[in-house]
Amino acid sequence: MLTQDKLLEMYYKMVLIRAFEDRVHELFVQGRIPGFVHLYAGEEAVAVGVTSHLRKGDYITSTHRGHGHCIAMGVDIKGMMAELFGRKSGTCRGKGGSMHIADFEVGMLGANGIVGAGGPLAVGAAFAAKYRGSGDVVVCFAGDGAQNQGAVLESLNAAAIWKLPLIFVVEDNQYAISLRSLSSTKLQPRISTARSVAERAVAFGIPSVTVDGMDVLAVYEAAKAAVERARAGEGPSLLDCKTYRYYGHFEGDPMVYRSVEEVEEWKKRDPIKLFRERLVRGGVVEEVLDDIRRKASLEVEEAVRFAEESPYPEPSEAYTDVFTDPYY
Amino acid sequence: MSELREITFVEALNEALHQEMERDPTIVVMGEDVGVYGGIFGVTKGLLERFGPDRVVDTPISETAFIGAGVGAAAAGLRPVVELMFVDFFGVCMDQIYNQAAKMRYMFGGKIKIPLTIRTTIGAGLSAAAQHSQTLYSIFAHVPGIKVIVPSTPYDAKGLLISAVRDDNPKIFFEHKLLYGVRGPVPKEPYAIPFGVADVKTEGSDVTIVAVAYMVHEALKASNELKKEGVSVEVIDPRTLVPFDKEAVFKSVRKTGRLVVVDEDYDRCGFASWVAALVADECFGYLDAPIKRVTTPTVPIPFSPTLEKEILPNAEKIVKTVKEVVKKV
């Protein structure tokens, strides 16, 4: 049973992700952030619902759309924002940027610029967890697009044969850039009621479930079973979470492939709105939730200030950190 | 006192793995047929029996999954030694090597380490044709973040593999197929040979030959031939290409005034060209002749023995090339 504190912490993480992403969107439009940025707004229930089960020693692998996973795992948002600004005080000292934020201390093994590449890394981290016998688990977040990468399919097989403590979380946000997931993944009509890569997992010998990815408590419940199974040494699972990204694939995406009506339709089931309604129905007073929202906004503003006041790295730092020794 | 025995290159590698795994329980070995079979060339023989299936893992034929698993396991604190059966297969798993393993430390601001060793085989001469004969180390040396190790003797094989396993960075360790049966003196105890320290195989005054892996042996053969004709050759084995002991090569070229680089990798944009460029930059005033390369022409490795022999570097071609540069005095 979820305690009220835990529920409010989940709500806080969801609104913090949203506040962070909305602000990054503005900053990008204003030309204050360089590079490629992929925003997670709309998908908060997935990251938060799953990572709420994780503990120290567990790991996740992430994607190019990684800010939400970072925040859910507890990566400091000041460092993240400074990283997006390319500053020395960034999580990765300005060397990674949006697509490469990692913080192993909190179990975040890295966002990734290569679609599907987190799969094999997650297999390795789960192998290490199993080898140590620590009961630690690994979560591999990957989108619907990644499900057709060989790396992911090979990883499903490896996780299954080695019975690894690994949870594959599919974030089906309906589009691989512009290609609808309906068009990218053919499923067996015989068993398909809802189109789902969950059916593929079964073929690999991995139990799976399709989840409403806009409902954080539904994700939480599904993840609970998968994480418990992994911790008990019973092997991998797959959660296929149906969700939606509010912004384009990347900042600057003209979004010619979907209609405003479609976006509005999904926003009616906004994960934060849904969760807030549930909390209020459960007796949480609105003011408490408003305070949490205000706190998140202030933290994001503080992060922006921190980032903009931070210095850029010295040019000489381009040549360090290739290896553990100075050679490059 | 160290006990020196004559053992083969493959036995030296096998001994290094046994001794390191004995010492460090975070070392795990994975790859295709590394367990029950003992590795297709026998390098991992006996490891499964000694260390068990948790540490010696036979993988499915899924290079992306198991090379990537090596990267992920290294990120999570293990020290994996992963076997890629033939370097030619890197095409099916390169992303995990050059975009993941090689770049993680840098991308993540130098806060993490990836102590991963990938062992793989190189080399032609067995009529294994275009997809099992290549000597592709240049392509890995080209990419930032990967150390490139290329031993030529059983002694170096053991000492460099031990250094590789202990090093905290991603490395590719190249084993030439024609070297596996080569015998040489190897101490029984574990020992580490530092990276980036070239070995001067034979001293000379007329011409410097930089040669890699199996070609070190061909260069030494050529050197013996040339000695009979009064040409004094200095043969240098860099042993690691990344890091590369530039100073040893510059020092030698300043003495001899001539350089021939022998490299079994393809000629175009390859290791030999890079060494030639470095020496041209640093030692131009010392050169008495153009720098020459003896390499594999940039064509796929052919199957038929007569065709394969045509393209591969060998002692005869090295002798011919050295004579050209010496003549130019």
Side-chain angles (χ1 to χ4, degrees):
Chain A
M1 190 57 200
L2 279 162
T3 63
Q4 174 143 323
D5 281 354
K6 182 78 178 175
L7 289 166
L8 293 181
E9 187 198 325
M10 289 166 71
Y11 181 76
Y12 162 68
K13 283 194 167 163
M14 288 173 74
V15 296
L16 185 61
I17 294 170
R18 179 68 57 87
F20 187 91
E21 296 296 62
D22 285 347
R23 192 73 178 97
V24 169
H25 170 73
E26 287 170 18
L27 291 163
F28 191 87
V29 170
Q30 293 162 4
R32 289 156 76 188
I33 288 177
F36 296 169
V37 175
H38 308 81
L39 299 178
Y40 195 74
E43 306 181 32
E44 294 88 350
V46 182
V48 173
V50 172
T51 60
S52 291
H53 295 285
L54 302 187
R55 66 184 193 200
K56 190 157 176 58
D58 294 336
Y59 283 115
I60 69 160
T61 63
S62 171
T63 71
H64 54 287
R65 200 176 305 290
H67 303 169
H69 305 137
C70 288
I71 294 171
M73 288 298 282
V75 179
D76 173 42
I77 65 164
K78 287 201 286 195
M80 286 177 64
M81 193 64 88
E83 188 63 31
L84 299 191
F85 276 81
R87 305 304 165 106
K88 190 177 173 166
S89 58
T91 317
C92 305
R93 299 186 181 138
K95 286 183 170 174
S98 169
M99 276 188 285
H100 306 295
I101 298 179
D103 185 350
F104 287 20
E105 293 296 310
V106 297
M108 167 60 185
L109 285 181
N112 208 311
I114 307 297
V115 170
L121 300 175
V123 166
F127 179 90
K130 185 179 177 184
Y131 181 74
R132 289 206 185 86
S134 56
D136 296 332
V137 303
V138 178
V139 174
C140 171
F141 289 100
D144 49 290
Q147 303 310 312
N148 296 311
Q149 277 283 22
V152 169
L153 300 169
E154 287 188 22
S155 299
L156 287 165
N157 184 54
I161 57 168
W162 293 331
K163 224 177 170 189
L164 296 179
L166 177 47
I167 300 102
F168 293 94
V169 176
V170 181
E171 299 178 314
D172 180 0
N173 64 15
Q174 313 305 311
Y175 294 91
I177 305 186
S178 67
L179 186 68
R180 289 190 70 98
S181 43
L182 269 173
S183 309
S184 67
T185 306
K186 172 90 172 165
L187 292 154
Q188 295 181 47
R190 192 168 52 81
I191 51 170
S192 176
T193 46
R195 62 195 172 77
S196 178
V197 296
E199 288 149 23
R200 275 192 189 166
V202 175
F204 282 98
I206 296 178
S208 63
V209 60
T210 300
V211 189
D212 177 359
M214 305 305 265
D215 178 350
V216 70
L217 295 178
V219 175
Y220 182 90
E221 281 308 314
K224 185 170 192 276
V227 170
E228 278 171 4
R229 187 179 136 78
R231 287 208 202 285
E234 290 164 19
S237 311
L238 181 143
L239 313 181
D240 180 20
C241 303
K242 302 301 179 191
T243 183
Y244 202 75
R245 66 168 147 76
Y246 289 174
Y247 293 108
H249 162 65
F250 58 95
E251 283 306 275
D253 178 358
M255 288 185 275
V256 293
Y257 48 86
R258 67 185 195 184
S259 65
V260 177
E261 292 74 27
E262 181 186 300
V263 179
E264 290 312 313
E265 199 54 37
W266 276 89
K267 282 186 174 173
K268 285 179 188 162
R269 298 196 67 251
D270 179 74
I272 294 173
K273 193 182 87 171
L274 286 184
F275 190 32
R276 187 181 169 105
E277 285 165 7
R278 290 276 282 277
L279 291 171
V280 171
R281 275 205 306 277
V284 180
V285 286
E286 300 259 9
E287 287 71 28
V288 170
L289 300 173
D290 289 340
D291 281 348
I292 289 174
R293 190 165 251 177
R294 216 169 294 121
K295 178 170 176 276
S297 294
L298 288 172
E299 281 175 46
V300 170
E301 284 320 304
E302 177 55 33
V304 173
R305 192 161 43 246
F306 172 78
E308 288 195 309
E309 285 169 1
S310 293
Y312 284 102
E314 294 296 318
S316 62
E317 288 175 49
Y319 307 101
T320 60
D321 302 326
V322 179
F323 293 118
T324 55
D325 33 63
Y327 190 87
Y328 68 90
Chain B
M1 188 55 202
S2 168
E3 189 201 332
L4 269 178
R5 311 109 337 132
E6 291 267 326
I7 60 172
T8 63
F9 193 90
V10 70
E11 286 164 347
L13 292 168
N14 185 258
E15 187 168 270
L17 289 173
H18 271 278
Q19 291 176 343
E20 286 303 286
M21 289 183 79
E22 204 72 63
R23 184 185 61 78
D24 181 352
T26 67
I27 298 171
V28 295
V29 167
M30 44 172 92
E32 289 154 6
D33 311 297
V34 297
V36 176
Y37 199 100
I40 205 81
F41 294 102
V43 176
T44 55
K45 215 170 132 190
L47 294 178
L48 176 67
E49 291 77 0
R50 173 66 190 83
F51 300 105
D54 290 344
R55 295 185 68 187
V56 183
V57 183
D58 276 320
T59 65
I61 302 176
S62 303
E63 283 84 357
T64 291
F66 73 75
I67 296 282
V71 184
L78 298 187
R79 202 167 275 277
V81 179
V82 185
E83 180 172 312
L84 178 64
M85 196 182 283
F86 293 86
V87 72
D88 313 68
F89 303 167
F90 87 77
V92 295
C93 57
M94 191 59 168
D95 181 67
Q96 290 294 328
I97 302 172
Y98 93 114
N99 265 331
Q100 309 300 328
K103 298 190 174 113
M104 283 167 80
R105 179 177 171 80
Y106 189 87
M107 292 191 302
F108 302 161
K111 294 178 185 174
I112 59 107
K113 59 185 190 186
I114 305 292
L116 168 72
T117 304
I118 299 172
R119 294 180 34 252
T120 192
T121 60
I122 51 173
L126 297 169
S127 274
Q131 298 171 346
H132 290 74
S133 300
Q134 298 170 92
T135 302
L136 301 168
Y137 40 64
S138 301
I139 208 160
F140 294 94
H142 183 67
V143 173
I146 309 171
K147 295 190 178 181
V148 175
I149 303 148
V150 193
S152 68
T153 67
Y155 179 86
D156 288 352
K158 180 173 174 184
L160 288 170
L161 184 55
I162 287 176
S163 288
V165 169
R166 296 178 186 178
D167 183 272
D168 282 338
N169 299 281
K171 294 128 304 202
I172 309 215
F173 190 95
F174 291 96
E175 301 162 11
H176 197 292
K177 300 177 206 81
L178 297 185
L179 290 175
Y180 279 135
V182 168
R183 303 182 79 83
V186 176
K188 198 172 175 59
E189 306 73 78
Y191 57 95
I193 296 174
F195 296 159
V197 181
D199 187 22
V200 179
K201 307 300 285 190
T202 175
E203 292 191 14
S205 54
D206 293 331
V207 59
T208 300
I209 297 179
V210 173
V212 177
Y214 181 65
M215 286 302 138
V216 172
H217 300 265
E218 292 294 309
L220 288 170
K221 242 187 271 175
S223 158
N224 284 335
E225 284 301 307
L226 288 158
K227 196 190 247 172
K228 293 178 201 158
E229 303 185 31
V231 181
S232 169
V233 178
E234 181 147 306
V235 176
I236 296 182
D237 174 3
R239 302 195 287 192
T240 60
L241 309 189
V242 181
F244 179 61
D245 191 350
K246 294 177 199 174
E247 287 310 319
V249 176
F250 296 161
K251 190 177 153 205
S252 177
V253 172
R254 285 183 193 121
K255 177 175 69 174
T256 63
R258 297 177 189 84
L259 175 65
V260 173
V261 191
V262 187
D263 164 13
E264 194 182 323
D265 203 344
Y266 299 124
D267 184 71
R268 190 159 61 216
C269 298
F271 171 72
S273 304
W274 181 66
V275 174
L278 288 175
V279 171
D281 280 350
E282 289 292 325
C283 307
F284 188 73
Y286 294 88
L287 289 171
D288 295 324
I291 300 166
K292 291 285 177 184
R293 309 184 305 276
V294 183
T295 54
T296 299
T298 310
V299 296
I301 313 295
F303 166 67
S304 171
T306 57
L307 297 176
E308 189 182 40
K309 187 164 183 294
E310 163 64 23
I311 64 158
L312 291 180
N314 57 29
E316 200 184 317
K317 292 180 186 178
I318 299 167
V319 167
K320 187 166 162 277
T321 306
V322 168
K323 283 182 178 172
E324 282 171 31
V325 297
V326 174
K327 206 165 55 188
K328 288 216 163 70
V329 185

